[in-house]
Amino acid sequence: MSELASESSAQGAGARGHRTSEVAPRNARHVVVVGYGMAGSRLAEEIRRRDRAGERVSVTVIGEEPHAAYNRVLLSSVVAGTMTAESTRLHDEDWAQAHGIDLRLGVSVTAIDREARTVALSDGGELSYDALVLATGSRAWVPPTEGLRTDSGALAAGVATFRDLADCAAILDKARPGAPVAVLGGGLLGLEAARGLAGRGSLVTVVHPAGHIMERQLDPAAGAVLAKALAAHGIEFRVGRLAARYMPGDGLKLDDGSHVPADLVVVSAGVRAETTLAASIGLTVEQGIVIDDALRTNDPRIHAIGDCAQHPGTVSGLVQPAWEQAEVLADLLTGENPSSRYRGTPVVTRLKARDVDLAALGEVHTEVDSPDAEVLCLHDPARGRYAKLVLREDRVTGAIVIGAPDAAATITQLYDAKSPAPTDRLALLLGRALPSVGAVASSPADLPASAVVCRCNTVTKGQLVKAWRAGAVEVADLAKATRATTGCGGCGDAVRGIADWLARA
Amino acid sequence: MTQLAAPVVDTHCPYCALQCGMRLTGAQVEPREFPTNRGGLCQKGWTSGSLLTNPARLTSPLVRVNGELRPVSWELTLDYVAGRLAGLRAEHGPDSVAVFGGGGLTNEKSYLLGKFARVALGTSQIDYNGRFCMSSAAAAGMRAFGLDRGMPFPVEDLRKADAVLLVGANPAETMPPFMQHLTSTGLIVVDPRRTPTAEQATLHLKPRPGTDLALALGILHAVVADGHLRHDYIAERTTGFDAAWRIAAAWWPERVERVTGVAASDQRRAAALLAKARKAYILTARGTEQHARGTDMVGAWINLALALGLPGTPGSGYGCLTGQGNGQGGREHGQKADQLPGYRKIDDPAAREHVAGVWGVPPESLPGPGRSAYELLDALGNETGPRALLVFGSNMVVSAPSAGSVVDRLSSLDILVVADFVLSETASMADVVLPVTQWAEESGTMTNLEGRVLLRGKAIDAPDGVRSDLEVLHGLATRLGQPAERFPTDAETVFEELRRASAGGAADYSGVTYDRLRDGEALHWPVPSVDHPGTPRMFLDRFAHPDGRARFAAVDHTGPAEPADAEYPLLATTGRVLQHYQSGAQTRLVPELLDAVPEVFVEIHPDTADRAGLAEGAIARVVSRRGSTLARVRRVASMRTDTVFLPFHFAGEQRANLLTNPALDPTSRMPEFKVCAVRIEEA
């Protein structure tokens, strides 16, 4: 029965759809991907990586936006002005053609019939599927602050969300050097936007309702250090405050009655998973579409990945989980590896903001006096540094690192590999191995005789001393006697130093 | 009694591709001024004369009789070898006899060896140890520029650079006098280890072994994101940027940091150092080339160079640091499985016709492409593989990956013939050993790392009983029925023929003559005529592809062929020490060098050593899926905790290559020497 069904559906797709490729054989299973964002586009790539010729799976991708998928991670670079919209594109124009993908742009899904396994499209078309993948992403959440929306529900003049390329265009259109901008929301994306705009010369104020910025990823002390580091780039903060009202052309009035001038308000107050379609067909939806380790919804023919999905092992809103999910799902849909499963992604938060280095991972709210964990903390607000390390059973289980990029890199690798932390915890915390005692001798007298002075010719201090005592008192004579300095010449100063020291002694 | 003073001869060092200028008085070595070494010599060079008088020198052919190698006369030995080869050929076809060359052989030997294989033996089965050395850089350079010359500019140009990015190179140990050219204040070194070279860097990036490609993508990303891209250059001189960028766009520095362990801020700093330099170079070497994705790894670094507008721009560029003495010339003149002299493709009909014409044989008599080095070694003695192997200038028992299985393959041959001047580990396995001349006892040309052709003239007489490789080839070829004049024994005569064979090819030597070299002319190939001044700097007007443009490569990171896992939780990487050269067959015979570094060691982070219970100086057993090595522990605090390092110059149970992974690059057929999964335990 199922074989027959899949055969007819593949034919159906071929007959009804405008095929960009003729490669799909009759018995290929038809996968319909709803959403051509970072998750949906990646899934199509991963499927074709495993099934290059489309022998096992034919793929249709439906994208609501009229243009090629782009890399959302780079939007903050677009706002910062260091990257063009064009350079964020994930695919070239001919990508779908070249990979045998049926790509429908500017089209949305209007209905799904789970019984008939069909999808109805906004252009009147209909597709059958063997497997349906929801990769519908998320949308910006706009708080119910008075004045942010017009009566029709559209964003008011001077208000922009920060979610897609069109938002970037709107922001860049309004943000002018010297003009005031308010950013609503001091989370990761809000701060990246704020840093980008400040870098372009806007006068940025971040309004954040919680007691400190990035409160999910940072403890209060780290939040304060980060705010101070960003303040050095001209960004002002109003934390613990809600916006009460927006007045176009003027700015925001906060809940304490104070006023934040703004020609532009960038709303970055969080996102909500796009689950409308899933809910409408009776799939289980909580914060997102609930999925299991095989990326299945409660309908085993329907999968969900990326921001719209809710998996117990990860948080949404980041690209890494979406890409790892796409790999697992491609394994399953192509039959490449039927035992492949998604077990969650350990999240490492990195702030992409020029000259401000922040990493946060794992348990960040564990305090130094916690009885059951080893916690180290360096708090150096004057120099914009904060480093906190949480270890359990010798493994890194959490960290916050601000202003110590080397430490962040090493700690992240230890966290990902679950490998034991170095015994020198301090060096780990600071990011650079401390010089071992005696490694740097301040004077030739401190060098042991066995120390190699000329590496190119393995000449020790002892040999130089012996040659000097035998009458080779000039560098040239020492070179002749021992060959020191005759390789790369890099030890010339050291040899001269030894000769001088012996002459003085 | 008065003795005649020993003649004084200007020559070049027998070891690496820097080919330092030296002066020989008898067997006494002194450095001399030459652009590559500027009067410097490392300990290997200083002591190289001792090999000329070394008691371990072979002076008689040896033939295995009742399991033992015994001296036999040259005539009998050559008769015996030729007879066996002819017999195998008659019974099993020409491909039953294989030839393995080396990157230390002179241009003349490389050329005549290729001709001997294709004409006298008629076999397609010839390759050389350069496959383990330069092949990934060569393939990537070919793909990007349409032509491969290690450094397409003179070494001295580096001194004027504001920034130099060295990737997987440790010249402070491998070619110390070269460090005199790295005076740039913007020296960036990419190496998982804090090598003596890295110690001198302004910025040292320490990626996890096998993740270089991701690092290159991250730096390229930073170049674009931070506004450093050279748009004009890309538009005028390149193709393929968009496809390469689509991939790099997905590798923002923070993501790269998670894969490589290199801080995102350091990636951005590297990008800025290179971009803000008025003159900058990117140089790669074995560390980033010896991978199962080595061609793509080099391609990623070339992409970075192109994005910054370096190649073909005066005072800037991309190059690779050739390793072996004649690693450059050795890959140009026909000892590679797929090539004919002049860097020609063996499957190109025009190339076959030209070379066959010079050789006086019908083009259709030339065999097609054969197996690459590791594939050749892996096929030895198998049902379809060669039954005889002739080895010139190589010691694969120590230097090949998965060396244990290579020994098995060599043991299963009908006959193994090794030409060498000492009893290397490979020679000691052979059925026949042919004692040959070494560098100062013969004439020949070498092509150094900058594509400059050098004449190494004969300085002293060889001991009695020793013949040159050219004489060996002549002796075998004539016994196999070849006309005597087809295999000359005089190097200059061979070179004259090489000039004609290379004429019109990519590596055109037709304008190089011994007389021009004796006059001290600095001739960088191509030199298409005797009145041509040579080509020190290439690509200034156009690249060698038909459209004149360089090509970006659309390459992505996939990681090492054998990642670490629970059973083998560490990554091993291999490399070199200053005192030894390649398999160590020569340098281990020099007492001063052996005293300095007498045995293999394993560098390991103190924490990692503690967990394995290994004290400083203890003997550790390093185990991979292919074998295990016994090495003395050096606890090094600057090591990554997930990585161990072993030099590969040592023999027997000390061979690092017992561990290494023979996963091959799909294009260059380079094995993955630089990363494999291991565990480490008390021996």
Side-chain angles (χ1 to χ4, degrees), chain A residues 450-482:
Chain A
S450 62
V452 172
V453 177
C454 170
R455 191 194 301 271
C456 296
N457 280 290
T458 329
V459 183
T460 61
K461 175 188 154 190
Q463 287 169 280
L464 286 165
V465 170
K466 200 170 149 198
W468 190 89
R469 293 202 171 122
V473 294
E474 300 295 328
V475 172
D477 302 328
L478 285 168
K480 205 159 191 158
T482 66

Tab-separated table of all heavy atoms in Angstrom, chain A residues 450-482:
chain	number	residue	atom	x	y	z
A	450	SER	N	73.415	24.150	29.712
A	450	SER	CA	72.875	23.245	28.687
A	450	SER	C	71.857	23.949	27.784
A	450	SER	O	71.373	23.340	26.824
A	450	SER	CB	72.205	22.057	29.365
A	450	SER	OG	71.130	22.530	30.161
A	451	ALA	N	71.529	25.209	28.082
A	451	ALA	CA	70.519	25.892	27.279
A	451	ALA	C	71.033	26.093	25.856
A	451	ALA	O	72.144	26.565	25.643
A	451	ALA	CB	70.177	27.235	27.907
A	452	VAL	N	70.182	25.712	24.874
A	452	VAL	CA	70.580	25.894	23.479
A	452	VAL	C	70.384	27.355	23.097
A	452	VAL	O	69.284	27.888	23.192
A	452	VAL	CB	69.756	24.972	22.561
A	452	VAL	CG1	70.034	25.292	21.091
A	452	VAL	CG2	70.074	23.522	22.855
A	453	VAL	N	71.451	28.007	22.691
A	453	VAL	CA	71.389	29.412	22.304
A	453	VAL	C	71.168	29.527	20.801
A	453	VAL	O	70.311	30.252	20.328
A	453	VAL	CB	72.686	30.147	22.712
A	453	VAL	CG1	72.651	31.596	22.230
A	453	VAL	CG2	72.862	30.080	24.218
A	454	CYS	N	71.926	28.759	20.031
A	454	CYS	CA	71.750	28.731	18.570
A	454	CYS	C	71.049	27.436	18.213
A	454	CYS	O	71.649	26.368	18.279
A	454	CYS	CB	73.103	28.809	17.869
A	454	CYS	SG	72.995	28.504	16.078
A	455	ARG	N	69.779	27.557	17.870
A	455	ARG	CA	69.012	26.355	17.571
A	455	ARG	C	69.459	25.724	16.257
A	455	ARG	O	69.510	24.505	16.116
A	455	ARG	CB	67.531	26.695	17.517
A	455	ARG	CG	66.623	25.504	17.479
A	455	ARG	CD	65.223	25.898	17.090
A	455	ARG	NE	64.634	26.861	17.989
A	455	ARG	CZ	63.951	26.524	19.083
A	455	ARG	NH1	63.794	25.267	19.382
A	455	ARG	NH2	63.433	27.450	19.846
A	456	CYS	N	69.791	26.565	15.281
A	456	CYS	CA	70.127	26.054	13.953
A	456	CYS	C	71.320	25.099	13.992
A	456	CYS	O	71.441	24.213	13.147
A	456	CYS	CB	70.441	27.190	12.996
A	456	CYS	SG	69.046	28.280	12.690
A	457	ASN	N	72.215	25.321	14.957
A	457	ASN	CA	73.392	24.468	15.014
A	457	ASN	C	73.558	23.791	16.372
A	457	ASN	O	74.638	23.292	16.688
A	457	ASN	CB	74.644	25.272	14.651
A	457	ASN	CG	74.759	25.419	13.141
A	457	ASN	OD1	75.036	24.454	12.439
A	457	ASN	ND2	74.487	26.608	12.639
A	458	THR	N	72.480	23.769	17.160
A	458	THR	CA	72.485	23.130	18.467
A	458	THR	C	73.713	23.538	19.281
A	458	THR	O	74.476	22.708	19.769
A	458	THR	CB	72.431	21.586	18.354
A	458	THR	OG1	71.708	21.223	17.194
A	458	THR	CG2	71.733	20.979	19.570
A	459	VAL	N	73.902	24.858	19.439
A	459	VAL	CA	75.036	25.354	20.210
A	459	VAL	C	74.521	25.828	21.567
A	459	VAL	O	73.628	26.676	21.643
A	459	VAL	CB	75.746	26.516	19.492
A	459	VAL	CG1	76.967	26.964	20.293
A	459	VAL	CG2	76.155	26.095	18.084
A	460	THR	N	75.104	25.259	22.647
A	460	THR	CA	74.646	25.607	23.982
A	460	THR	C	75.437	26.787	24.530
A	460	THR	O	76.515	27.135	24.027
A	460	THR	CB	74.831	24.421	24.939
A	460	THR	OG1	76.234	24.124	24.988
A	460	THR	CG2	74.059	23.208	24.469
A	461	LYS	N	74.900	27.345	25.611
A	461	LYS	CA	75.632	28.399	26.300
A	461	LYS	C	76.988	27.857	26.765
A	461	LYS	O	78.015	28.530	26.658
A	461	LYS	CB	74.824	28.907	27.492
A	461	LYS	CG	75.574	29.925	28.336
A	461	LYS	CD	74.816	30.247	29.615
A	461	LYS	CE	75.746	30.715	30.719
A	461	LYS	NZ	75.073	30.815	32.016
A	462	GLY	N	76.984	26.615	27.241
A	462	GLY	CA	78.223	26.011	27.725
A	462	GLY	C	79.307	25.973	26.654
A	462	GLY	O	80.470	26.290	26.903
A	463	GLN	N	78.917	25.618	25.433
A	463	GLN	CA	79.893	25.568	24.341
A	463	GLN	C	80.420	26.963	24.018
A	463	GLN	O	81.599	27.138	23.722
A	463	GLN	CB	79.242	24.961	23.088
A	463	GLN	CG	79.027	23.466	23.192
A	463	GLN	CD	78.146	22.975	22.052
A	463	GLN	OE1	76.934	23.109	22.094
A	463	GLN	NE2	78.779	22.424	21.019
A	464	LEU	N	79.545	27.952	24.105
A	464	LEU	CA	79.967	29.327	23.819
A	464	LEU	C	80.952	29.814	24.884
A	464	LEU	O	81.968	30.447	24.568
A	464	LEU	CB	78.747	30.255	23.748
A	464	LEU	CG	77.895	30.096	22.478
A	464	LEU	CD1	76.533	30.756	22.653
A	464	LEU	CD2	78.616	30.684	21.263
A	465	VAL	N	80.631	29.476	26.125
A	465	VAL	CA	81.518	29.898	27.212
A	465	VAL	C	82.895	29.266	27.034
A	465	VAL	O	83.943	29.918	27.165
A	465	VAL	CB	80.902	29.518	28.571
A	465	VAL	CG1	81.911	29.732	29.708
A	465	VAL	CG2	79.638	30.339	28.826
A	466	LYS	N	82.888	27.996	26.700
A	466	LYS	CA	84.148	27.279	26.513
A	466	LYS	C	84.962	27.909	25.366
A	466	LYS	O	86.177	28.136	25.498
A	466	LYS	CB	83.830	25.812	26.183
A	466	LYS	CG	84.972	24.864	26.429
A	466	LYS	CD	84.465	23.416	26.296
A	466	LYS	CE	85.577	22.538	25.775
A	466	LYS	NZ	85.071	21.279	25.223
A	467	ALA	N	84.274	28.207	24.280
A	467	ALA	CA	84.970	28.802	23.133
A	467	ALA	C	85.503	30.190	23.481
A	467	ALA	O	86.597	30.575	23.080
A	467	ALA	CB	84.009	28.883	21.937
A	468	TRP	N	84.730	30.948	24.259
A	468	TRP	CA	85.162	32.295	24.652
A	468	TRP	C	86.430	32.208	25.501
A	468	TRP	O	87.381	32.936	25.290
A	468	TRP	CB	84.033	32.984	25.429
A	468	TRP	CG	84.275	34.444	25.677
A	468	TRP	CD1	83.924	35.473	24.855
A	468	TRP	CD2	84.910	35.032	26.814
A	468	TRP	NE1	84.305	36.670	25.406
A	468	TRP	CE2	84.912	36.434	26.607
A	468	TRP	CE3	85.486	34.510	27.984
A	468	TRP	CZ2	85.457	37.323	27.536
A	468	TRP	CZ3	86.032	35.390	28.910
A	468	TRP	CH2	86.019	36.788	28.684
A	469	ARG	N	86.411	31.239	26.412
A	469	ARG	CA	87.573	31.084	27.298
A	469	ARG	C	88.791	30.614	26.511
A	469	ARG	O	89.922	30.858	26.917
A	469	ARG	CB	87.261	30.089	28.426
A	469	ARG	CG	86.200	30.689	29.357
A	469	ARG	CD	86.173	30.082	30.737
A	469	ARG	NE	85.281	30.878	31.580
A	469	ARG	CZ	84.218	30.392	32.217
A	469	ARG	NH1	83.940	29.101	32.160
A	469	ARG	NH2	83.467	31.187	32.940
A	470	ALA	N	88.510	29.943	25.385
A	470	ALA	CA	89.629	29.505	24.549
A	470	ALA	C	90.093	30.613	23.610
A	470	ALA	O	90.897	30.366	22.710
A	470	ALA	CB	89.219	28.267	23.754
A	471	GLY	N	89.525	31.812	23.770
A	471	GLY	CA	90.055	32.940	23.014
A	471	GLY	C	89.113	33.526	21.987
A	471	GLY	O	89.430	34.543	21.374
A	472	ALA	N	87.952	32.926	21.758
A	472	ALA	CA	87.005	33.463	20.778
A	472	ALA	C	86.135	34.516	21.453
A	472	ALA	O	85.039	34.217	21.921
A	472	ALA	CB	86.157	32.333	20.194
A	473	VAL	N	86.620	35.737	21.539
A	473	VAL	CA	85.913	36.742	22.338
A	473	VAL	C	84.978	37.613	21.504
A	473	VAL	O	84.090	38.258	22.043
A	473	VAL	CB	86.899	37.636	23.128
A	473	VAL	CG1	87.635	36.812	24.175
A	473	VAL	CG2	87.884	38.319	22.187
A	474	GLU	N	85.161	37.650	20.201
A	474	GLU	CA	84.246	38.415	19.349
A	474	GLU	C	83.173	37.472	18.814
A	474	GLU	O	83.384	36.260	18.708
A	474	GLU	CB	85.007	39.028	18.166
A	474	GLU	CG	86.121	39.990	18.551
A	474	GLU	CD	85.578	41.240	19.251
A	474	GLU	OE1	84.438	41.663	18.920
A	474	GLU	OE2	86.272	41.779	20.133
A	475	VAL	N	82.028	38.048	18.415
A	475	VAL	CA	80.944	37.219	17.881
A	475	VAL	C	81.417	36.421	16.668
A	475	VAL	O	81.117	35.231	16.525
A	475	VAL	CB	79.725	38.096	17.525
A	475	VAL	CG1	78.671	37.269	16.781
A	475	VAL	CG2	79.110	38.685	18.795
A	476	ALA	N	82.213	37.090	15.803
A	476	ALA	CA	82.683	36.395	14.602
A	476	ALA	C	83.555	35.184	14.971
A	476	ALA	O	83.474	34.127	14.331
A	476	ALA	CB	83.465	37.352	13.713
A	477	ASP	N	84.373	35.361	16.008
A	477	ASP	CA	85.219	34.241	16.436
A	477	ASP	C	84.373	33.121	17.039
A	477	ASP	O	84.627	31.932	16.804
A	477	ASP	CB	86.236	34.715	17.497
A	477	ASP	CG	87.108	35.853	16.973
A	477	ASP	OD1	87.367	35.850	15.756
A	477	ASP	OD2	87.480	36.719	17.778
A	478	LEU	N	83.385	33.525	17.834
A	478	LEU	CA	82.490	32.524	18.425
A	478	LEU	C	81.765	31.750	17.328
A	478	LEU	O	81.569	30.537	17.400
A	478	LEU	CB	81.482	33.195	19.359
A	478	LEU	CG	82.041	33.660	20.717
A	478	LEU	CD1	81.035	34.568	21.421
A	478	LEU	CD2	82.369	32.450	21.595
A	479	ALA	N	81.379	32.480	16.281
A	479	ALA	CA	80.692	31.833	15.165
A	479	ALA	C	81.612	30.812	14.508
A	479	ALA	O	81.210	29.696	14.182
A	479	ALA	CB	80.243	32.877	14.147
A	480	LYS	N	82.846	31.201	14.334
A	480	LYS	CA	83.806	30.322	13.695
A	480	LYS	C	84.051	29.073	14.549
A	480	LYS	O	84.129	27.952	14.047
A	480	LYS	CB	85.122	31.073	13.487
A	480	LYS	CG	85.946	30.511	12.364
A	480	LYS	CD	86.942	31.545	11.842
A	480	LYS	CE	87.519	31.002	10.546
A	480	LYS	NZ	88.063	32.006	9.694
A	481	ALA	N	84.135	29.299	15.851
A	481	ALA	CA	84.460	28.192	16.746
A	481	ALA	C	83.283	27.251	16.962
A	481	ALA	O	83.465	26.047	17.115
A	481	ALA	CB	84.940	28.744	18.084
A	482	THR	N	82.082	27.796	17.001
A	482	THR	CA	80.932	26.963	17.394
A	482	THR	C	79.861	26.850	16.330
A	482	THR	O	78.946	26.043	16.449
A	482	THR	CB	80.242	27.561	18.633
A	482	THR	OG1	79.671	28.820	18.267
A	482	THR	CG2	81.208	27.746	19.788
